Amino acid sequence: MAVTLRVNGKEQSVETEPDTPLLYVLRDDLALNGAKYGCGLGQCGACTVLVDDKPVLSCLTPLMLLEGRSITTVEGLGTVGKPGPMQQAFIEEQAAQCGYCIPGMMMRAEALVRRNPDAGDTEIRDALEANLCRCGTHSRILKAVARARDLKRGGGA
Amino acid sequence: MNALSRRGLLKGAGALVVSFSMSRAFAQEGEVAGGAPKEAVPELPGALAQSPFLDSWIRIEADGSIKVFTGKAELGQGVKTAILQVAAEELEVEPRAIEMITADTGQTPNEGYTAGSQSMPNSATAVRNAAAQARALLIGQAAGRWSLDPATLRAENGSVIAPNGETLSYGALVSSTLLHVEAQPQSPLKAPDQLRQIGQSMQRIDIPGKVTGGEAYVQDMRMTGMVHARVVRPPSYGAQLQAVDTAGVDAMPGVVGVVRDGDFLAVVADKEFRAIKAMRMLAKAAQWSESETLPDSSALPDFLRQLPREDGTVASEGTPVPSAHTYEASFTRPYQAHGSIGPSCAVALWEDERMTVWSHTQGVYPDQKAIGEMLELGPDRLRVVHREGSGCYGHNGADDAAADAALIAQRFPGRPVRVQWMREQEHGWEPLGPAMVTQVRAGIDASGQISEWNYELWSNTHSTRPGPAGALLAGRHSAKRFAPEEPELEITKSGNGDRNSVPLYVSPSKQVVWHFLKDMPLRVSALRGLGAYANVFSIESTMDELALLAKTDPVAFRLKHLEDLRAKAVVEEAATRFGWSNEPLPQNTGRGFGFARYKNFAAYCAIALEAEIDPISGRVQVKRVVSAIDSGQAVNPDGIRNQTEGGILQSLSWTLFEAVPFDRTRVTGIDWSTYPILRFSGVPASVEVHVIDRPGEPFLGSGEAAQGPMAGAIANAIRHATGLRLTDLPFSRERVRAALMQAAGTELTQNG
């Protein structure tokens, strides 16, 4: 079955079994690294991506539900050469240890600040509750998201 | 740098695999044995002692390009950046001029495991000294060409500069043999006031790729023709495969093959999700016999205390003075998991009768040995290359996944095989941090000084790493059935289960015994800090009880019993920055303090915190944390802060939330709902880390210093807030609530 998606602004036709979770479509078919496999159970948030601006656990979302939808992964937020505000903020705060959970954190935070550009510290913390970090980088992640919010509000990048 | 003490440090490093050249081994023996001393052979700094050739660490090409090699691996701790900084510093080049090559049996020195906070003391020290000596050799070359005194020349930005401004680039000066020389004991290290890279919080070189979707992890490798494998692990430790009908799986779309080797079962498919579906089908088709091999988890401490044991004396010093008051207690720590967010993964390729394995292992050389034994491949036919994975915090499933990939790949020549463990496999099969019981009896004399210190601990070994093929699940489960190595009690300077079991505090007598438990009903191995976590928790809890008996402030009581000025400095720094006082706090809120010098010879770390306990739910909320750390000369202060913040929050998670559940047959904590960890709602409002820099002092490493002090500080804050001394980890809501209710009940009975 072929499903047409818009991934990071680009039309993509994917030909694979319709029950395939979006995570494997992104990683296996489209060679995107951003969404990570963490649990496959919707418990950790490492696979979080945006579907039409909403945070979605890609490990639990089958391809068949996504015809015509718009998907954003961390690759859609900017590049190494030209990082977007969310990426810039995480670099400036050095908000990573192993970094494995970070793209999922960034995508959930991106959804929050798109929905609520004035999100306060409590809202940031609440939004990230669904995502796990094992290195103990939480404090820096919170600071990075607040910085990204400010960068976006200031019209940066 | 004190070279003699460095040698002592290396000798004590139990986990480090060292391969001395013979001459050096004899030299070392001579020093230790004394006897008829010949001329003393000076020491080489850090890991140069094991790999003395400069070009093992640094290579400069004729085009001026520079490669720096380390046998240590980037685990998310930032070591790649820190080693780059020390190399750039002493080579007098910009960091971007250097390409860093990390742990790879095909390219780098054998530095054993990346573990024990030893990468800075060993590898960074070696690279720094090698770089300084390389710079001196390059300056010497230029001096020869110009017939000038080398003392008049200086190195800058990849060139040597003469007093008249003439320059020669490193590329023009280098020859193929220039750096192929053994290191000298003394290096012309730059003076502390001349440093430009060391001491700077350079941004980590790996973070930009990680936040933009770069190929950052072994999980992200995509090789041409690569296939995806999944292993079907037994349902429990003791399970054996009785039968499996693979016909249905073989017929599934995309399935390339099923591998059965004894109890080892795996399936390979062209695409990842097809491999998962095939794995599920294969798991259903497999019939296992299971047996009850696990203890009663509700009586774990009693079980540990009655296991057969071998006693090791860790300390037996001094004689007690009479005690005016004594404190006695037993503390327990459950099995705890590494719980990497990304389950283990590896890629292997069997081609032309040679194997290459890409793995997030902490030890490429030990894995080369273990996988080599399993597959009967010598080191000339097996290369293990480190690729980053999710943070490991010790011995997780990395080595096992590497062995899985190699075992499978050998059946599919020419096809790269990627093995990705599932969440339940990582949780169910990773080697856990061992459960422990400790028992302390300590006292104070009439003047409030510690009068005696008696301590026992019951624990398995905290390292069952490869080495032997029996350390690998694939080795154990395959038809060859390699047996796990029999654990042996060893008392070393750096310690294992007994790490940090001897308090740094002054006491007229210290008696410490490790009751070493050989039986390992649950699979265990190294988890960040080894025994230091439970031992420091026990010691720091006891220190607060003794301070109460002495009617002394707990920080003042610690200072009174510390002689080491650097230890005192971190305690004072943490207390001052926190605003430590005896001012009353709001109801149900307490202050807690914890301190340790990791391994008693590495980094110093002190932590002060404030916690609030909800008496209804039993929830412990740590509100703010202030810490101080001294890990010697600080190469990258922000890197030290990042590691210490991480240690604090991970230890908070262990201490409040974590215990691996199991029944008599199976580990039942197999995901994040059955093994909950810290989430953002439990994160303190602020976590401060103050780095005390010690220019000119040896690098001490930072990664594990906070684990023990944090547990002690939390326990002490709960005590301060509620009057309850909790001794059993973790301090879950249920446990805290039950303790509060029990205390309230006792109070009612007493009052009624």
Side-chain angles (χ1 to χ4, degrees):
Chain A
M1 173 180 153
V3 172
T4 304
L5 308 169
R6 174 169 279 272
V7 180
N8 297 327
K10 199 171 134 197
E11 292 279 324
Q12 299 271 11
S13 180
V14 181
E15 176 82 48
T16 191
E17 285 92 347
D19 61 342
T20 307
L22 175 60
L23 174 65
Y24 299 105
V25 172
L26 294 170
R27 295 191 60 88
D28 218 7
D29 294 280
L30 304 177
L32 293 169
N33 297 318
K36 303 296 185 199
Y37 169 70
C39 65
L41 304 163
Q43 297 175 344
C44 75
C47 67
T48 306
V49 299
L50 302 189
V51 176
D52 298 337
D53 281 352
K54 290 201 177 63
V56 162
L57 298 164
S58 65
C59 75
L60 295 182
T61 309
L63 179 65
M64 63 178 112
L65 299 181
L66 296 169
E67 175 66 44
R69 308 294 283 275
S70 182
I71 318 291
T72 310
T73 69
V74 78
E75 287 92 341
L77 301 184
T79 61
V80 170
K82 196 165 188 280
M86 186 62 69
Q87 294 163 326
Q88 189 60 37
F90 272 73
I91 294 169
E92 285 170 4
E93 292 291 339
Q94 292 286 287
Q97 288 182 58
C98 81
Y100 196 87
C101 71
I102 296 296
M105 297 279 180
M106 293 168 71
M107 297 320 293
R108 193 167 296 279
E110 179 73 18
L112 173 68
V113 295
R114 282 187 187 183
R115 189 175 74 243
N116 178 5
D118 299 317
D121 292 350
T122 309
E123 282 139 331
I124 294 171
R125 200 180 264 255
D126 289 350
L128 294 176
E129 184 73 3
N131 289 46
L132 289 175
C133 164
R134 186 56 165 166
C135 294
T137 316
H138 304 72
S139 306
R140 287 176 182 237
I141 293 167
L142 292 169
K143 284 181 202 155
V145 175
R147 181 186 279 251
R149 172 203 61 202
D150 296 345
L151 282 175
K152 282 175 174 261
R153 237 180 353 203
Chain B
M1 153 129 356
N2 181 336
L4 287 172
S5 73
R6 294 256 2 100
R7 164 61 73 204
L9 216 150
L10 273 170
K11 275 177 62 68
L16 190 81
V17 176
V18 290
S19 52
F20 299 101
S21 73
M22 288 308 281
S23 63
R24 294 215 165 268
F26 289 134
Q28 187 209 9
E29 207 174 356
E31 284 161 31
V32 174
K38 295 171 197 146
E39 203 171 340
V41 177
E43 306 274 333
L44 291 179
L48 282 171
Q50 288 81 49
S51 302
F53 282 93
L54 297 185
D55 63 355
S56 299
W57 304 92
I58 293 162
R59 282 177 218 163
I60 301 174
E61 303 300 329
D63 65 1
S65 65
I66 301 172
K67 284 183 180 164
V68 168
F69 299 83
T70 167
K72 299 295 186 184
E74 176 62 52
L75 309 174
Q77 82 283 44
V79 73
K80 196 171 175 179
T81 304
I83 292 177
L84 172 62
Q85 284 178 264
V86 302
E89 181 75 70
E90 296 293 350
L91 284 171
E92 294 288 11
V93 297
E94 291 303 315
R96 65 174 172 275
I98 295 175
E99 183 187 351
M100 288 292 299
I101 312 289
T102 60
D104 176 349
T105 61
Q107 298 192 75
T108 67
N110 180 358
E111 293 197 75
Y113 290 105
T114 304
S117 302
Q118 295 180 101
S119 297
M120 295 305 291
N122 294 346
S123 199
T125 299
V127 167
R128 186 180 181 194
N129 282 274
Q133 295 188 25
R135 167 173 38 86
L137 289 170
L138 290 160
I139 288 176
Q141 283 297 106
R145 296 220 193 150
W146 287 327
S147 302
L148 288 171
D149 176 0
T152 65
L153 309 181
R154 65 193 168 87
E156 192 182 300
N157 205 15
S159 293
V160 179
I161 303 174
N164 67 1
E166 208 176 329
T167 68
L168 275 167
S169 73
Y170 289 175
L173 290 166
V174 81
S175 65
S176 60
T177 54
L178 183 71
L179 300 182
H180 191 63
V181 292
E182 287 202 41
Q184 300 298 310
Q186 298 296 328
S187 309
L189 297 181
K190 291 173 70 177
D193 62 351
Q194 298 293 310
L195 300 178
R196 294 179 305 121
Q197 305 292 342
I198 292 176
Q200 299 302 311
S201 289
M202 178 181 161
Q203 289 193 342
R204 289 240 313 260
I205 56 174
D206 54 327
I207 290 182
K210 289 174 173 177
V211 299
T212 51
E215 186 191 309
Y217 306 94
V218 68
Q219 283 91 342
D220 300 333
M221 286 179 71
R222 288 183 197 86
M223 296 171 71
T224 309
M226 188 173 83
V227 288
H228 293 271
R230 287 295 184 281
V231 179
V232 174
R233 288 253 114 87
S236 56
Y237 291 131
Q240 289 178 325
L241 186 58
Q242 299 302 304
V244 59
D245 177 3
T246 65
V249 177
D250 284 323
M252 289 178 76
V255 167
V256 177
V258 171
V259 175
R260 183 183 174 180
D261 185 342
D263 290 339
F264 181 89
L265 199 54
V267 61
V268 180
D270 59 348
K271 297 186 74 175
E272 185 156 20
F273 191 59
R274 286 174 163 177
I276 293 172
K277 286 201 276 192
M279 171 199 73
R280 289 177 183 153
M281 177 77 98
L282 188 59
K284 273 189 202 151
Q287 294 170 39
W288 304 88
S289 66
E290 293 190 73
S291 50
E292 294 192 345
T293 61
L294 305 184
D296 175 2
S297 62
S298 67
L300 189 56
D302 295 337
F303 171 79
L304 295 176
R305 278 175 182 266
Q306 59 79 41
L307 275 179
R309 67 204 206 194
E310 183 183 346
D311 287 351
T313 301
V314 188
S316 178
E317 27 182 275
T319 44
V321 302
S323 295
H325 303 280
T326 56
Y327 175 73
E328 251 189 281
S330 177
F331 300 86
T332 67
R333 175 246 178 133
Y335 292 100
Q336 292 176 319
H338 301 77
S340 298
I341 294 296
S344 294
C345 181
V347 178
L349 173 61
W350 175 247
E351 200 170 39
D352 304 328
E353 302 292 304
R354 284 167 194 273
M355 184 76 75
T356 307
V357 183
W358 293 267
S359 164
H360 52 100
T361 175
Q362 290 178 280
V364 288
Y365 281 95
D367 272 11
Q368 183 191 42
K369 181 170 178 286
I371 296 170
E373 184 190 346
M374 179 177 81
L375 299 179
E376 295 177 20
L377 293 174
D380 54 325
R381 292 170 64 203
L382 173 59
R383 177 176 172 189
V384 182
V385 184
H386 182 264
R387 283 282 181 278
E388 279 191 68
S390 181
C392 63
Y393 331 106
H395 179 188
N396 68 350
D399 306 308
D400 297 306
D404 292 345
L407 188 66
I408 298 166
Q410 214 173 25
R411 313 288 176 98
F412 301 93
R415 307 201 73 167
V417 174
R418 177 182 180 274
V419 173
Q420 168 71 66
W421 279 23
M422 304 301 287
R423 168 51 50 202
E424 67 274 15
Q425 294 174 336
E426 187 74 29
H427 261 89
W429 282 97
E430 66 147 280
L432 305 169
M436 287 172 68
V437 174
T438 71
Q439 175 88 38
V440 65
R441 184 169 52 81
I444 51 164
D445 64 19
S447 74
Q449 286 291 129
I450 296 176
S451 51
E452 58 177 320
W453 193 284
N454 307 284
Y455 187 82
E456 300 163 83
L457 66 117
W458 288 259
S459 173
N460 286 143
T461 178
H462 288 241
S463 180
T464 63
R465 293 180 186 271
L472 303 167
L473 291 179
R476 287 185 203 176
H477 293 158
S478 69
K480 288 183 191 161
R481 299 197 188 285
F482 292 94
E485 208 171 34
E486 183 95 341
E488 277 182 33
L489 170 64
E490 246 186 305
I491 305 295
T492 59
K493 191 179 173 217
S494 51
N496 180 291
D498 58 329
R499 181 168 291 173
N500 277 91
S501 59
V502 181
L504 199 65
Y505 302 109
V506 174
S507 169
S509 130
K510 292 179 188 175
Q511 311 295 329
V512 178
V513 177
W514 178 5
H515 304 303
F516 180 79
L517 311 176
K518 281 198 173 181
D519 292 352
M520 296 181 283
L522 283 91
R523 188 182 188 212
V524 294
S525 195
L527 173 61
R528 197 174 187 177
L530 309 191
Y533 171 65
N535 291 324
V536 172
F537 158 62
S538 307
I539 291 169
E540 290 301 292
S541 298
T542 302
M543 284 299 285
D544 263 38
E545 291 301 323
L546 295 178
L548 280 166
L549 290 172
K551 297 187 172 57
T552 307
D553 170 81
V555 172
F557 187 75
R558 283 175 175 80
L559 288 170
K560 206 162 94 159
H561 289 90
L562 287 171
E563 285 176 330
D564 184 333
L565 295 178
R566 288 169 69 176
K568 282 175 184 271
V570 295
V571 168
E572 282 164 352
E573 178 78 355
T576 306
R577 297 276 192 167
F578 178 81
W580 188 266
S581 79
N582 291 306
E583 291 297 308
L585 288 170
Q587 204 182 5
N588 302 317
T589 304
R591 291 184 194 93
F593 201 89
F595 160 80
R597 181 177 194 194
Y598 189 50
K599 304 180 195 171
N600 287 348
F601 62 73
Y604 304 81
C605 181
I607 297 175
L609 60 82
E610 196 175 302
E612 186 175 1
I613 292 83
D614 177 5
I616 309 297
S617 67
R619 179 179 195 237
V620 178
Q621 179 74 40
V622 177
K623 295 168 74 175
R624 69 183 180 102
V625 185
V626 178
S627 66
I629 180 163
D630 167 357
S631 47
Q633 172 127 39
V635 172
N636 187 319
D638 190 61
I640 295 171
R641 280 194 290 274
N642 202 355
Q643 278 289 282
T644 308
E645 287 169 24
I648 285 169
L649 292 182
Q650 189 174 73
S651 179
L652 183 156
S653 183
W654 293 355
T655 303
L656 295 185
F657 304 111
E658 298 184 31
V660 174
F662 51 91
D663 60 26
R664 299 309 288 259
T665 308
R666 296 181 177 185
V667 170
T668 54
I670 52 165
D671 58 21
W672 300 119
S673 70
T674 48
Y675 187 80
I677 61 170
L678 173 71
R679 286 186 182 269
F680 275 91
S681 52
V683 174
S686 71
V687 180
E688 283 176 35
V689 178
H690 300 280
V691 175
I692 300 182
D693 190 10
R694 298 287 183 188
E697 292 290 334
F699 309 141
L700 296 178
S702 304
E704 298 158 305
Q707 308 303 113
M710 185 62 185
I714 293 174
N716 291 335
I718 295 172
R719 172 74 163 92
H720 186 227
T722 65
L724 291 174
R725 171 57 61 193
L726 299 184
T727 54
D728 298 312
L729 295 166
F731 309 142
S732 61
R733 289 181 193 206
E734 298 73 26
R735 220 173 230 162
V736 173
R737 190 171 57 222
L740 286 167
M741 284 173 70
Q742 197 192 356
T746 311
E747 211 169 284
L748 277 179
T749 315
Q750 283 168 350
N751 295 344

